[in-house]
Each structure stands twice: as structure tokens, then as C-alpha cells.
Amino acid sequence: MSGVRLEGITKVFGSTVVLTKTDLDIKDGEFLVLVGPSGCGKSTTLRIVAGLETPTEGSVFIGNRNVTKLEPSDRDIAMVFQDYALYPHMKVFDNMAFGLKLRKVSKKEITERVNEAAEMLGLTNLLDRYPKQLSGGQRQRVALGRAVVRHPQVFLMDEPLSNLDAKLRVQTRAELIKLHQKLKSTVIYVTHDQTEAMTMGTRIVVMKDGLVQQVDTPKFIYDHPANMFVAGFIGSPPMNFIKGSLETANGKVLFKSQGISLELPTTSAEAPKQQDVVLGIRPENVEVIDQNKFEESKFLTCHVEVSEYVGSESIVHTKTPDGQKLVVKVNANGKIAEPGETIKLRPLDGFLHLFDPQSGSNLLSMKV
Amino acid sequence: MSVKHEVNSAPEAESSAKVANNVKDIMKQLILALYAALILGPFMLVVMTSLKTTQELYQNPLGLPSTFHFENYAKILMEGKMPFYFKNSFIVTIISVTLIIFFASLASYAITRLDGWKSKLMYGLFTIGMMIPTQVNMIPLYLLVVKLGLNNSILGLIIIYIAFAMPFATFIMVGFMRGIPKSLIEASKIDGANEWQIYSRVVLPLSLPSVATVAIFNFVWVWNDLLFPLLFVRTDSVKTLPLAMLRFQGEYMFDFPMIFVGVVLASIPMIVTYVLLQRWFIQGLTAGSVKG
Ligand SMILES: Nc1ncnc2c1ncn2[C@@H]1O[C@H](COP(=O)(O)OP(=O)(O)O)[C@@H](O)[C@H]1O
Ligand SMILES: [Mg+2]
């Protein structure tokens, strides 16, 4: 087992620059998730690690070996494809054994390894079937099994769950985490689904337009997003962004906009020096309060537009007094907000963020 | 009331749909039966004729033979040189078809695996061949073959057949191979397959339906071809069946049953090939390779 390192990877297709000077350092045994919107270059990054694409510039290291010029077969990696890519003319056993046969592993060992992987993935009864005789979930596991039997240094997975239905996806997600805990090998996992990234990754790489935006643990990225893009991409429903300006009065820092004056949990020393900012609030980090209990500067007053009841909670779409959108997720045990109603929202738990309106970069994350 | 009506109407709709389906089915079967009769009728006539005596043929051209004269077949197979021509045809056809499949599949593999102008140029050069009618090539081809000393030889015939079959065979196989998901090839690369192994163990097995198409098509063509033997073959020892049959017509002047025996015998290999290969035609092998 070993880690993977990308150094200054740039990839150009014709005239489109898909990756720009990408550096990544993936530790041995890590479950690293590449996440970002479609077309941001996740698959390309993965395929460069696999050796299916050649980088225009830069180097790829697996362990201590520079593998930039090596064939995929010489890199000691295994890949799980989005469409599974099972060989339709081979039975499940042969699908899993193909890579071992080509590597001249002994018959006895092939049988052992395939049976072991089949047991681990619950495929033992299916070894005699052709891929077309399997359900989507079973095919997905065969694709995993084909990678597992190879005992590779690095597993590469490109949206392996995206062809499963929602329920099976959640189930398989948990199984993949278990599998990783058992095998302890390095995994690079591509997805466009931030929930998958949050639940599975030991670290997450958020990408946009071929540029790495942030690399960190799910918790840290959630609490300290590097910029507005990351803040909006990670978390569901996405973070609210409210435009306004900062004012300091008697040592207190206030976020101001028309009809809004919210005291921020920071000091004038810590607060950014610029005036125009964007305030970031996650929908889940507010509570609905009674006006009487708190001072005016502790909450936002908003008008309810739509209220979606989803069982354990309600998603309430509101507008601030100056007409900016604010979506909040509130516990449904309380009173359900009605459209047209005015509610008071107080930041609670978690973090408030200040972003630069031009660059979008994070100026300050404040623990509430 | 309305509820009751709804309950009743469901089976009614179902049964009327069933009737419509049955009518459609019957029509389909009828058309297929008609088509089969159209093909089988003349063929049966040929078979029946081959089992008659000449006299009987003139007296009762369309009816069943009064006795089946299987000795007609024995006569041709024992006396004539028919088995010898059969052998020639077999050698030419089997070797040509095998090599056509081999070369065309290799070329198609290269065309589908390369990208950019190399692939386009190769594909273009192959397919241009389809646009040139054989007859236009006859004289230059004749000169070329003679210069190479390949005329009047089995090898010469085989080479010509391969060359002329390549454009269409490549066209069919490229079309098919392009439909093989790219991820399958990438998966085999990662599994450790080299180009030859990707070709022989993944792409070719998955292309069997197109192999069958090319095989049947070229088997029928080469087996039946009269043009090239007529152009290039002079000696008896190199003659293939169609050319021999031509002479046969002279030998058994107006002995139609004997000629028909030749026709029946000559058709058998084609029928056998078709029956053996048609299941590959039908089997959609790529089903289930990807996605759920
Ligand atoms: N072979 C290729 N030729 C040209 N452009 C490509 C090729 N592969 C990917 N791209 C482009 O590169 C960008 C990133 O693609 P990809 O890495 O597949 O994105 P993602 O997996 O994040 O959705 C896309 O704009 C895509 O159109
Ligand atoms: Mg992708």
C-alpha cells in the first residue's frame, strides 16, 4: 500500500484547459474524495492517476515511484468505472479473475482470491452468472470485486454508485466504508454528490473548473469553507449568502443591510477591515425565537414565503427585509411557519462566515 | 355505478387489446410464411428435379418424382470430378473467409483504437474500396495478377478475395466495434492486457455478431463467385465449383436433373454455414455489459 502524489498536473484537451497546476498529496490508506460539479475535471484527474490519460505537464507518484510514463497495468492500481465495465462475455468468476490470469497468477491462488473477494462482497452464489443476469447492485459489487482481487496499492473509483437507486446507494455507501476499513488501502473516489463526499471521505478535495478549491477533512471544510463556492457546494440545503456591510460600534461588530442589524460573534480586532462583505449562514444553524427574549441585534426578522415540511424538520424559504433569500431548516416539533408570517431567526451552533463579495474568499469564520 | 363501470371496463379493454395483438400476430406469421414459401418453393423444386430422371422431368416438371433417384447424387459424386471441385471451393472459401475476418478485425481494431487523422485516413482508404465497382478493376487487376504470377492458382484467388472483401468487412466491423463501450477497453488495460490481449480476449469475442455477418456474407460470395475464377483460372486442377458447373452444363447437355444435383450439392455448405452462424446474428452479446 502507498500514497499518491500529483505534482503540478496540467491537462489540456485541444484548446480546453481541464486541469491547471494541480497538486495533491494523498496519504497511504486514505479515502480521498474528489468532489465538484460535473465537468470540473474530477474524472480527468482520476484517469491521469490511472494512466488512462497522459498529463500535459506534471508528474504522478504512487508510493515513491514516478509512474507518469508507466502503462496503467504497471501502476498497481485498480479502477471501478461508473458503468462498471464488466466483460459481458465472461462469467462473474472470470470477470474477477481476468486481471489475475493476465498477470500469470497461479490457478490455485486465483480461485482463492476470487472466492475470498466473492465472500466479502456476497457474490459467492453469483460466480457462474453472466453480467446480464445480474441486477444493477450485483453488477456494482462484481466491479468492486474485480478491483479487490487484484490487491492493488490504490483503488480508483469514478462515481461507482451513481447508477444505483437512492436506497441501494445509501446501503452501498456504508458497505464501501466498511470495505475500506477492512482493506485499509488508499482509495481515490470521484463523485459529484456532496453527501457521498461528506460521509465517505477521510479528506475531501473540492474542485471547480479544473482548480482545487480546498483539501481537508469533511468537518473542517464544513466549518471553514475556503470560499463561497465551497461553502455553497458542501452542505444541503446550501449555505445562505446575504450581502451587507460591517460596522463597528462600542466594540461590537454589526452586520448591516437595509432592515438588518446583526451582532457578529467577533471582536473589532478580529473582524475584516473591509466594509462590504457577504454573510454566510447555514440553514441548519438558526433557530426560530420569541422576540421578547433577545435584544434586537441578536436576530434577523424574515418573511416566510414557502414552508416545506419534511418530517423531522421543515425547510422554510424566507426573505430578509431588504429582499434577500434566506433558507432555514428548523425543527418541526415547534410551530410550523406559515407563508406570509414574520419570524425571528437567531444564529445558533456552528459557524457564521464572512466572505469577500469580489473574490468570494473566506475572510472570517466565527463560532457562534 | 361509475365504480362498477370502471371495474368492468378494465378486462374489456384488455381483451380487445388481446384481439388486436392476436390479429397482429397472425398477420406477422402470414407474411413470414409467405416469404418462407417464396424462398423454399423454388428450392424444393430444384431438389425434386434433382431426384427425377430427365424423362420424368419433361413429363411432370412440377410434381413429385415417382421414385426418388438418389443414384443421381451417387453418380455425380462417384463418376464426375465434382468432389475435386468441391475440395477446391472449400479450400478457397474457408481460407479466404478466415483471413478476411482476421485481417478485417485487426484493421477495425486499429481504426477504433487509434484516434485523430490516422484512424480517419485508414478508415477512409478502406471504405473508398466499396465505392469502386469490381468490373472497373478487372483489367488492371488482371495485369497485376499475371505480373505477380498469381494467375491460375488457388493462392491467387484467395488473395484477390481477401483484398476485395476488406472494405465491406472492415466497414461492418468498425461499425460494430465502435459500439463497444470504451470503458471495457480501459478496464482490460488496467487489468493488464496488452493490445493483442485486448483484441483477442475482449474486443473480438464481443464482436462475434459482426464476425458472423462478415463470415456469412463472404462465404456466400466466395463460394458462389464465378467472375474471378473465370478471369484467372484455366486449368482443371484449380477450378472451383461455379466454374466447374458452367462446364458441367456442357458435359450433361440438357440433363437437367444432373445439373440440379450439382446445384443442390453446391448450396449445402452455404445453408450449413448460415444455420451454424445465425445464432450469433441474433444474440445481442453486449447486452448487460454496462449499467443497470
Ligand atoms: N477526451 C477528451 N477530449 C476533450 N475534452 C475532454 C475529454 N475528456 C474530458 N474533457 C473535458 O474536460 C472537462 C472535464 O471533464 P471530466 O474530468 O470528465 O469532468 P468531471 O468528471 O468532473 O465531470 C469537461 O469539460 C470535458 O468536456
Ligand atoms: Mg466524471
Side-chain angles (χ1 to χ4, degrees), chain B residues 204-266:
Chain B
L204 195 60
L206 289 177
S207 303
L208 277 182
S210 72
V211 169
T213 310
V214 169
I216 290 176
F217 185 83
N218 285 299
F219 192 99
V220 171
W221 170 56
V222 175
W223 184 263
N224 279 334
D225 183 56
L226 180 60
L227 179 65
F228 290 136
L230 206 55
L231 273 179
F232 298 112
V233 174
R234 263 167 290 108
T235 19
D236 241 11
S237 64
V238 184
K239 273 183 185 159
T240 54
L241 262 181
L243 188 58
M245 296 281 287
L246 202 63
R247 209 208 47 185
F248 208 54
Q249 245 175 14
E251 193 176 313
Y252 290 89
M253 194 73 88
F254 303 117
D255 191 350
F256 284 111
M258 288 319 260
I259 292 170
F260 280 33
V261 168
V263 170
V264 171
L265 286 175

Side-chain angles (χ1 to χ4, degrees), chain A residues 47 50-53 71-73 77-79 81-90 95 98-104 131-132 135-136 139 146 150 156 163, chain B residues 113 180-195 197-198 200-208 283-292:
Chain A
R47 292 163 58 80
L52 295 171
E53 305 281 359
E71 288 292 315
S73 54
I77 45 125
M79 186 154 167
F81 291 84
Q82 180 171 10
D83 62 9
Y84 313 144
L86 302 180
Y87 309 119
H89 58 302
M90 296 182 198
N95 259 286
F98 189 58
L100 300 176
K101 280 184 198 161
L102 291 173
R103 278 156 219 270
K104 309 256 186 297
K132 64 167 168 254
S135 70
R139 282 177 207 174
R146 186 169 65 181
R150 292 259 320 278
L156 306 175
N163 281 329
Chain B
R113 289 280 290 120
I180 295 177
K182 231 181 149 179
S183 58
L184 279 181
I185 288 161
E186 294 176 344
S188 39
K189 260 194 195 172
I190 288 175
D191 266 341
N194 56 32
E195 290 295 342
Q197 287 164 328
I198 299 175
S200 62
R201 302 183 65 168
V202 177
V203 173
L204 195 60
L206 289 177
S207 303
L208 277 182
Q283 215 168 46
L285 251 183
T286 33
S289 72
V290 293
K291 289 207 175 165

